[in-house]
Structures are given as C-alpha cells and as structure tokens.
Amino acid sequence: MSVSIIQKYNVPGPRYTSYPTVPYWEETGFSKNLWIDTLIKSFKESNQSEGISIYIHLPFCESLCTFCGCHKRITKRHDVEHPYIEALLKEWELYCAILPEKPIIKEIHLGGGTPTFFSAENLEHLILGIIKHAKIAKNHEFSFEGHPNNTTKKHLETLYNVGFRRVSFGVQDYSEKVQTAIHRIQPFHNVAKVTLWAKEIGYTSISHDLVFGLPFQSLNDAIDTIDKTKSLQPDRLAYYSYAHVPWIKGNGQRGFNDEDLPRDDEKRKLYEEGKKRLAQNGYYEIGMDHFALETDSMYQAYQEKKLHRNFMGYTSGKTQLMIGLGVSSISDSWYSFAQNIKSVEEYYDSLAQNELPVCKGHVLDDEDLIIRKHILNLMCHFYTSWNDSNLYLPELPEIIDSLKEMEEDGLLTLRNDEITVTEKGKPFVRNICMAFDLRLKRKMPETRLFSMTV
C-alpha cells in the first residue's frame, strides 16, 4: 500500500463502538427518566426474542500500563474487592426492579481494568448474584478479560463452572523493550500457561489481544509476536492499532515520547505483515482489527451476517439492549445511551440512595438511528445499502459525493444504492464511516478527541 494513501487518510477519527460517538452526545436532551423509558421499551421489544447483554466494568489494576486508555484505578489493596462487588449487585437489583419481567441473559462480559484482580471467589459471588435474578439463554456467551500474569487456574475453572466459555488474554507485544516502555512485563510462558489451561478446562473460544504501533515496536517485534501467537493457536484474536490519546484525563500514556512511536508507513507495515502472516495460518479478517479461525463463532457470525458491534467491541450475536454495570460503564438501549459515574466513591453514594448511578447520556433521534445502522453495516459487514427507504437520508447525495475520492483510490465501490468496502479499503473503514457521521461533519472538533485512524 502506498505511503501517500496512508498519509492521506491517517487523520483523527472515532472507532465507532457507538453512533453518535460520546463527544457528540446531546446531554441537555437526556435525563435518567428518559433512559429508563427507552430501557423498558427496548426490553419489551427484545428480551424474549434476543435476550440482553450485560457489560461489567471492574476498574482495579495493581499497576499502570502506560499504553492504556481505559478507565481504571491503580491499587494493590484487595480489600476494595468486596464493597465493589456488593455495589455491582445492588446496581443490578435496581435494574431488575425496573424491568417488567425476568431478563434473559444472552451475554455477560467482564472488562476492566483487570477483572482477574478480583479473586475467583469474588467473581463467582458476582456472577451467581447476577444470574439469581435472571434466566440464561440456551446459546449464551459469557466472556472475560484475563491478565496473563495474574489469571490463575482457579479463575478459569471457577468462571467455567458458572457458564463462561470465552476468555481474552491481553498480550500486546512480546518484545522486552516494548513491554518496558508500556509498563507491561509479561513473558511468553505466562501467556502460554494460561492459554493451555483454558484449552484443558474446555473454553471453546480463546482470544489474544495484540497491538501494533506501540513505542519502539519494530517489524521484527511484530513478526515475532505473531509467530509466538500462532504457536498457541488462539481461536480468535484482535490486532489493534495503538490509540495514542495522551491528552485524555487520567490516561497513563506518559511512559514514552511521541517520537518513540512508529509512524504512517512504518506503522502500516506492522499491520500488513501481521495480517499476511495471520492469513497464512488460517485466520480470517472479521470486521475491523479482528481475526478468527473458521471454527470460531465470530467467523461463523461474520459469514452469516450476524456480527454485531457495541461498547464491548465485536460480538457474535446481536442484542438490542446492553446494560452496563460499574463505574464508567455505558448502557445501550438502541434508542439511547447512558453512562455511569466515573468516581468509585460517587458510584457508591448514588447506590446508597437507591439511585441508578447514571451521570450522562444521549437519546437518539431518527437521523441518528439511520446513520447508526449504516455505520454498523460498514463496521461489521464492510457493506451498506439504502435500497430500503427506512435507511434513506436526505444527505445521502452529499455523503456519496464525499466518498468518490475514496472510490478513485480503490477503497470502496459505489453502485446504485450500495457501498462495498474493498480489500484495500478495509484498513480505512473508520474513514469511510466518517463520511456518514453528520454530527462530526457539522461540528468538527476544535481540540484533540480521537486517535489516528491508521
């Protein structure tokens, strides 16, 4: 891929886990009561047919990884575990009291932070407390993020016994120099140990998270990481572009300088070589940055056009309603978004008053809902169409016009009433989605909000 194409499209842009993106939420038109109204509406429409998803944010980490842009709290005190688990269960009970019938849980995902900061016993107590108030869908998918350094066999066995079959291990890169820069010292044998444990216990989908574009990362580093990864044969993996956003408050991205990062064509080579090697070893590209073996449910969902994307990332099944529990978690009723308080202390205070700890959100208007569908189609299927009048926008001629240069550059094809992203265009799918992002177009940010797209 030419350097000029990479430089041309390497601009700040959203990752589109939602539309509208969080910086463009209209908080003045949002209220907790409106959130509850859309929650109930969505629940009634989808609980029996799809079930619901639950994302649980576990924010504690024992040390700070300087590449991380997630909301977290650094502590070595494990006495924080019990009160936080109890608060999560209290929040869930408040939601269950609002819902008109027992929820049917299709997905649970434990994210962080570091979920395996918590003991196996406390995680078991949490999950049993969640499912006590619910029914479990037959084809449910429970997953968690495991830190290879502190995930124990007991963690894996305990969560397996309460229904978990998916685990994702954060690898990033195996180079010692890179690991030192990002403050994530993690030997290969730690990753191998937990991966083999998970296979032995019976997990049906094991994932590794890799990152390209990290400080001091060379092409040889990326190749070595891919080669070590293929030796363990995870069922799926993410190969993320490092999102450099050091301006975000509380972000740990201070362990290196900007000039230590691979740039433009150098960074793209890391991706292209990694992608080529993954393909040679039976991994298929699924959506943006994700790869899977053809035996994995993510690949099957992609083939059947059932792949979905939300604040948890890509999922192999769609649920209209996702409830986020814990500090900073975001919930999605399809018709609105709601984000929780980010301070642990304020989160506890809100729950002590029997109040949902929601602090902000956005109610989607008709235009938002149409654009959301187009962006989901592009992110999940590399295709969208407006031959259905329900997906037509008055601004479509303008959007199509803005995509013609990308068509000339070979990134997509425009035919009648549809867009197809080409193989060459897949790395630029965020740029293509930006053409539909009318809120972004109407008010371009005056300060840095987003990471670079390439």
Side-chain angles (χ1 to χ4, degrees):
M1 191 176 292
S2 71
V3 175
S4 59
I5 288 288
I6 294 166
Q7 291 174 338
K8 180 177 182 178
Y9 292 107
N10 191 22
V11 297
R15 296 192 69 83
Y16 292 112
T17 48
S18 76
Y19 183 84
T21 56
V22 176
Y24 287 91
W25 286 1
E26 290 184 2
E27 295 178 45
T28 53
F30 176 84
S31 70
K32 202 174 290 187
N33 286 337
L34 276 175
W35 160 241
I36 291 171
D37 288 345
T38 66
L39 166 79
I40 293 171
K41 177 184 179 183
S42 188
F43 181 83
K44 287 179 176 177
E45 289 176 351
S46 64
N47 184 50
Q48 291 296 327
S49 58
E50 295 178 349
I52 71 166
S53 295
I54 302 174
Y55 171 76
I56 304 174
H57 190 70
L58 301 165
F60 301 108
C61 300
E62 286 198 347
S63 65
L64 178 65
C65 302
T66 56
F67 70 95
C68 177
C70 301
H71 182 78
K72 65 271 180 185
R73 177 169 289 198
I74 309 303
T75 182
K76 292 187 183 294
R77 291 180 49 189
H78 285 264
D79 57 357
V80 299
E81 292 185 37
H82 180 71
Y84 191 76
I85 295 287
E86 293 306 310
L88 289 169
L89 292 174
K90 175 68 178 291
E91 184 182 3
W92 174 237
E93 287 167 8
L94 291 175
Y95 270 112
C96 289
I98 292 167
L99 301 175
E101 64 180 5
K102 265 196 172 185
I104 300 170
I105 300 175
K106 171 76 177 298
E107 290 185 318
I108 294 177
H109 182 71
L110 306 181
T114 305
T116 46
F117 171 95
F118 289 75
S119 71
E121 292 84 358
N122 278 330
L123 292 177
E124 179 182 44
H125 176 58
L126 170 63
I127 300 304
L128 292 178
I130 296 288
I131 63 180
K132 178 174 73 174
H133 299 285
K135 298 176 182 177
I136 307 301
K138 288 181 181 178
N139 57 342
H140 66 273
E141 194 166 89
F142 294 177
S143 59
F144 74 98
E145 297 166 14
H147 192 314
N149 287 359
N150 67 12
T151 299
T152 65
K153 196 169 188 180
K154 189 171 183 182
H155 277 121
L156 290 160
E157 289 173 340
T158 300
L159 289 171
Y160 183 89
N161 289 336
V162 292
F164 282 72
R165 296 294 182 270
R166 273 201 58 221
V167 58
S168 176
F169 295 117
V171 173
Q172 285 55 261
D173 187 277
Y174 286 115
S175 160
E176 289 184 15
K177 186 175 184 179
V178 173
Q179 290 187 357
T180 300
I182 64 176
H183 200 232
R184 176 85 171 207
I185 308 302
Q186 185 174 273
F188 171 72
H189 66 79
N190 285 7
V191 181
K193 179 175 64 177
V194 293
T195 299
L196 294 174
W197 277 344
K199 289 186 178 188
E200 176 189 317
I201 289 164
Y203 282 78
T204 54
S205 184
I206 300 165
S207 179
H208 286 186
D209 287 350
L210 312 179
V211 179
F212 66 92
L214 290 166
F216 305 111
Q217 190 179 41
S218 69
L219 184 59
N220 284 338
D221 293 332
I223 291 170
D224 179 62
T225 296
I226 294 287
D227 286 347
K228 284 184 167 72
T229 299
K230 75 183 182 187
S231 73
L232 298 177
Q233 281 287 292
D235 302 280
R236 67 176 74 164
L237 56 87
Y239 194 38
Y240 292 115
S241 169
Y242 165 58
H244 189 54
V245 286
W247 56 87
I248 292 179
K249 184 179 178 181
N251 200 316
Q253 297 176 348
R254 300 289 190 280
F256 43 86
N257 298 316
D258 284 6
E259 57 266 26
D260 299 326
L261 298 169
R263 295 291 179 188
D264 292 340
D265 58 323
E266 184 186 0
K267 182 179 178 182
R268 205 67 217 162
K269 281 179 187 174
L270 301 177
Y271 175 77
E272 296 294 343
E273 183 63 28
K275 178 180 172 180
K276 181 179 81 174
R277 285 173 177 265
L278 289 170
Q280 288 169 349
N281 288 279
Y283 289 93
Y284 293 85
E285 190 169 16
I286 308 296
M288 182 182 75
D289 304 334
H290 283 66
F291 299 82
L293 298 174
E294 59 183 347
T295 51
D296 189 75
S297 62
M298 187 77 84
Y299 174 82
Q300 291 154 12
Y302 177 73
Q303 290 294 103
E304 295 168 8
K305 298 195 180 301
K306 293 179 179 177
L307 197 64
H308 186 56
R309 184 170 172 84
N310 56 28
F311 287 103
M312 297 189 292
Y314 284 106
T315 67
S316 56
K318 171 185 171 290
T319 64
Q320 184 170 298
L321 176 61
M322 183 186 79
I323 294 176
L325 305 176
V327 291
S328 81
S329 281
I330 297 177
S331 297
D332 176 2
S333 71
W334 182 259
Y335 304 107
S336 70
F337 302 117
Q339 183 166 27
N340 278 356
I341 295 163
K342 293 184 179 180
S343 157
V344 173
E345 291 75 19
E346 290 177 31
Y347 174 73
Y348 290 163
D349 289 344
S350 180
L351 291 168
Q353 297 169 43
N354 293 316
E355 288 282 337
L356 289 179
V358 169
C359 66
K360 68 176 184 179
H362 175 87
V363 178
L364 285 78
D365 61 25
D366 290 342
E367 179 187 273
D368 289 338
L369 289 166
I370 293 171
I371 294 172
R372 183 179 192 187
K373 289 175 184 174
H374 284 299
I375 288 177
L376 269 174
N377 286 341
L378 289 165
M379 295 296 286
C380 295
H381 312 305
F382 298 120
Y383 169 88
T384 195
S385 169
W386 48 95
N387 57 15
D388 182 338
S389 60
N390 292 326
L391 290 176
Y392 183 80
L393 288 164
E395 293 82 1
L396 265 168
E398 173 193 334
I399 291 169
I400 293 166
D401 193 56
S402 71
L403 289 168
K404 285 182 178 172
E405 191 170 356
M406 290 189 192
E407 184 179 36
E408 290 170 7
D409 288 332
L411 307 186
L412 55 88
T413 56
L414 291 163
R415 288 197 183 92
N416 301 322
D417 52 7
E418 63 183 36
I419 295 167
T420 303
V421 181
T422 63
E423 195 65 32
K424 182 181 178 181
K426 286 181 179 180
F428 304 97
V429 68
R430 288 166 70 184
N431 302 75
I432 296 168
C433 290
M434 285 166 68
F436 283 85
D437 192 337
L438 298 183
R439 288 185 179 271
L440 178 65
K441 285 183 172 181
R442 289 166 186 155
K443 189 181 178 183
M444 296 299 289
E446 296 177 1
T447 57
R448 293 185 296 178
L449 294 177
F450 305 112
S451 62
M452 304 300 278
T453 56
V454 178

